[in-house]
Amino acid sequence: MIWIVYIAKFAFFLFALAVLAPLLTWVERKQSAVMQDRIGANRASIFGMRALGLFHALADVLKLFTKEFFIPRGAQKLIFLLAPCISIFFALLGFAVIPHADSLIVAGQSYAMQIVAADVGILFFFAVLSMAVYGVILGGWASNNNYAVLGGMRASAQMISYEVALGVSLIGVILVYGSVDLLEISRAQSELWFGFLPQWGIFVQPLAFFIFMTAGIAETKRIPFDAPEGESEIVGYFIEYGGMGFGMYFLTDFIETILIASMTVIFFLGGFQIPYLQADGLHIPGLMPLLFPDTVVLGVFQLNNLIVTLLQFAAFIFKVAVVIFLMMTIRWTLPRFRYDQIMNLGWKMLLPLSLVNIIVTAVVLYWLR
Amino acid sequence: MNPLIDTLILVAVAAAVVLVFWGVNFLLGPRSSGVVKETPFETGQVPLTPPGHRLTVRFYLIAILFVVFDVELIFLFPWAVVFNKLGLFGLIEMLAFIGVLFIGLFYAWKRGALEWE
């Protein structure tokens, strides 16, 4: 039995890697095409079938695999080979602690819908997120290229700056829910305020939500925070990489986007929670029980635990998709910030604001209890 | 379902993914070399200076500031988790701590450590 659980977990993990990340490249292209009034990627075809350009993702992967991976003269060979691996390796590890649904109870046994049911989820998330800096700076430094070194320095300075704001903004969330366990945080958000408003992080900690989203987008180094890889000035820390070396950096970007979006959902958008849906069924607030007295017993629309879990899983995926869509819309809406603007935003705006957020949250929590 | 064992298996799976990426790329990719090809890219001309000369001191300043603030952040995590049990003592202690943080940030700000021309 335990083997089935393991196989299911890692099959899902590999599925997420192999399908979601390439799919995301397609979504991004199509969305940019729609926003810029173009047709977008639709040339790749298999037997004349174009499938809205979906095969472009496949073509990308094949192309990256069949291109030469070569090492420029003067590069630090071992580090040069290792850097993209570090980058994608730690991005992949980040998926370990994401709770996709509440625990599934089968035959009295409870199965966590997490790859690793650790109770230190936030710390794990930060640990692997910080490691991403190494992949970037080592890749830039080992390439023996001026642009790569500059790109690597810019990227690492930007990432560590926003990591501080990212971490400090989450302190408020931890204060409210009193845990660093992502499952606990998700569960706590099922409670209701005034009987109808779900206690999602975005309602409890609205300022932290905006800080976290901004810092999160900066962490993924995407537009408008893509100074480390601005095409028109310096090409980026991965300038000397070809083939899958570049592919790994490329995939890391998208995997980190999914990761940040998942974390935003867990902390601020209720995680896997659907409003009014509890473990035993749909709790309908207000007048609904009076209107439908037959179907509803004491305001609870009974549902099987398996169905609840599946619904929560679907809700989680849906929410992550919405957040990713929002991030991509931001990407195609704003121009690139100047580097000094990026650093000013991180240190002079987000960090003081998130510190103030902690103080206000702590004082209000103490006053309320 | 020991979390540690789960983590180790995940590490193995992620490492396997990386190895497969490398392996397939090395098997399928072409090989060729040449003097011009191996030259580091620099807008199409011969590189004038090797990298690693001098970088602006700002990067080092940011790195030091990061170490300072990230260590402070580590102290904030356990405090936030047990905040409800600590009561007024915890609140005042941490207000003082964050106050010191603010002074530090303000000092770095006024000394120009956060300026980028």
Side-chain angles (χ1 to χ4, degrees):
Chain A
M1 188 62 203
I2 197 160
W3 287 110
I4 300 173
V5 175
Y6 272 118
I7 291 168
K9 273 180 180 178
F10 290 106
F12 173 75
F13 174 69
L14 291 176
F15 166 81
L17 165 72
V19 175
L20 287 186
L23 194 66
L24 216 52
T25 65
W26 174 78
V27 172
E28 182 155 34
R29 283 177 168 186
K30 272 298 182 191
Q31 194 196 3
S32 76
V34 170
M35 288 182 73
Q36 296 166 359
D37 204 9
R38 292 182 285 117
I39 295 170
N42 70 346
R43 289 291 111 183
S45 62
I46 297 179
F47 303 123
M49 278 201 311
R50 285 182 173 169
L52 291 169
L54 261 174
F55 295 134
H56 272 267
L58 192 65
D60 274 346
V61 173
L62 281 178
K63 184 181 154 191
L64 285 172
F65 269 126
T66 52
K67 288 290 171 184
E68 179 180 1
F69 181 88
F70 94 107
I71 303 172
R73 193 172 53 223
Q76 314 271 338
K77 280 204 180 67
L78 180 66
I79 299 174
F80 187 81
L81 288 173
L82 216 54
C85 304
I86 294 174
S87 208
I88 197 167
F89 178 75
F90 286 106
L92 285 176
L93 282 193
F95 280 92
V97 287
I98 293 176
H100 298 94
D102 212 336
S103 297
L104 177 65
I105 296 161
V106 180
Q109 272 255 327
S110 144
Y111 296 101
M113 293 285 122
Q114 275 169 297
I115 294 177
V116 178
D119 49 5
V120 289
I122 293 183
L123 302 183
F124 188 91
F125 164 65
F126 271 111
V128 293
L129 200 68
S130 332
M131 291 303 284
V133 177
Y134 285 100
V136 167
I137 194 166
L138 288 180
W141 181 74
S143 299
N144 187 34
N145 181 314
N146 279 314
Y147 291 134
V149 172
L150 265 180
M153 292 306 280
R154 279 193 188 189
S156 49
Q158 176 184 330
M159 284 166 87
I160 60 179
S161 300
Y162 279 87
E163 204 181 298
V164 175
L166 199 73
V168 177
S169 72
L170 275 189
I171 298 286
V173 179
I174 302 172
L175 271 174
V176 172
Y177 299 119
S179 174
V180 286
D181 185 346
L182 296 179
L183 190 60
E184 287 292 315
I185 290 176
S186 301
R187 278 181 182 153
Q189 298 185 47
S190 72
E191 282 162 28
L192 299 176
W193 256 353
F194 316 120
F196 74 97
L197 188 68
Q199 274 194 9
W200 288 4
I202 189 170
F203 301 123
V204 186
Q205 289 276 306
L207 183 61
F209 169 73
F210 288 108
I211 297 170
F212 186 87
M213 269 296 272
T214 315
I217 295 172
E219 276 291 306
T220 60
K221 304 183 291 297
R222 316 197 65 200
I223 301 171
F225 295 100
D226 71 332
E229 45 198 85
E231 298 89 347
S232 47
E233 353 172 335
I234 54 171
V235 190
Y237 48 89
F238 45 62
I239 182 171
E240 291 292 345
Y241 284 91
M244 216 49 211
F246 171 73
M248 281 195 238
Y249 279 128
F250 187 62
L251 277 177
T252 308
D253 254 25
F254 285 97
I255 292 171
E256 275 183 351
T257 307
I258 302 175
L259 197 59
I260 293 289
S262 308
M263 288 298 163
T264 313
V265 167
I266 290 166
F267 295 129
F268 298 104
L269 299 176
F272 48 73
Q273 303 288 353
I274 305 172
Y276 317 128
L277 185 75
Q278 305 281 354
D280 57 345
L282 204 56
H283 289 239
I284 298 163
L287 288 172
M288 290 298 277
L290 300 176
L291 297 176
F292 303 99
D294 296 341
T295 51
V296 179
V297 185
L298 293 173
V300 179
F301 186 78
Q302 303 281 339
L303 282 172
N304 188 332
N305 183 252
L306 181 66
I307 296 174
V308 170
T309 307
L310 285 177
L311 279 176
Q312 287 176 336
F313 186 74
F316 183 79
I317 300 291
F318 174 74
K319 286 179 191 174
V320 171
V322 167
V323 174
I324 290 176
F325 193 80
L326 178 67
M327 285 165 82
M328 285 187 174
T329 312
I330 292 171
R331 180 194 161 133
W332 293 113
T333 307
L334 295 175
R336 182 187 311 138
F337 294 151
R338 272 198 333 260
Y339 198 68
D340 60 326
Q341 290 173 327
I342 291 176
M343 296 313 258
N344 279 349
L345 180 68
W347 286 101
K348 295 182 182 173
M349 284 284 295
L350 296 187
L351 182 58
L353 268 182
S354 45
L355 284 174
V356 168
N357 185 46
I358 293 181
I359 295 173
V360 172
T361 310
V363 170
V364 169
L365 272 182
Y366 183 76
W367 182 57
L368 279 180
R369 62 181 208 143
Chain B
M1 285 281 162
N2 188 338
L4 200 60
I5 296 173
D6 288 7
T7 316
L8 283 180
I9 296 178
L10 182 72
V11 165
V13 171
V17 167
V18 171
L19 279 181
V20 166
F21 278 172
W22 270 137
V24 174
N25 192 196
F26 270 113
L27 283 179
L28 296 181
R31 295 285 162 75
S32 71
S33 60
V35 177
V36 177
K37 183 177 175 182
E38 285 181 351
T39 314
F41 169 78
E42 198 160 308
T43 58
Q45 60 175 341
V46 179
L48 292 175
T49 53
H53 259 254
R54 285 175 170 186
L55 288 163
T56 168
V57 72
R58 314 258 168 233
F59 288 122
Y60 300 94
L61 275 176
I62 290 292
I64 290 168
L65 280 177
F66 164 73
V67 170
V68 171
F69 281 94
D70 220 36
V71 170
E72 319 276 11
L73 179 61
I74 294 167
F75 289 126
L76 285 174
F77 273 109
W79 167 75
V81 173
V82 294
F83 175 71
N84 273 328
K85 293 175 196 137
L86 288 178
L88 189 62
F89 171 73
L91 180 68
I92 292 174
E93 280 286 302
M94 215 23 91
L95 282 185
F97 184 74
I98 295 174
V100 173
L101 263 185
F102 253 120
I103 295 170
L105 180 67
F106 192 68
Y107 175 77
W109 191 333
K110 280 299 141 202
R111 290 299 298 260
L114 305 177
E115 302 302 323
W116 289 76
E117 274 92 43

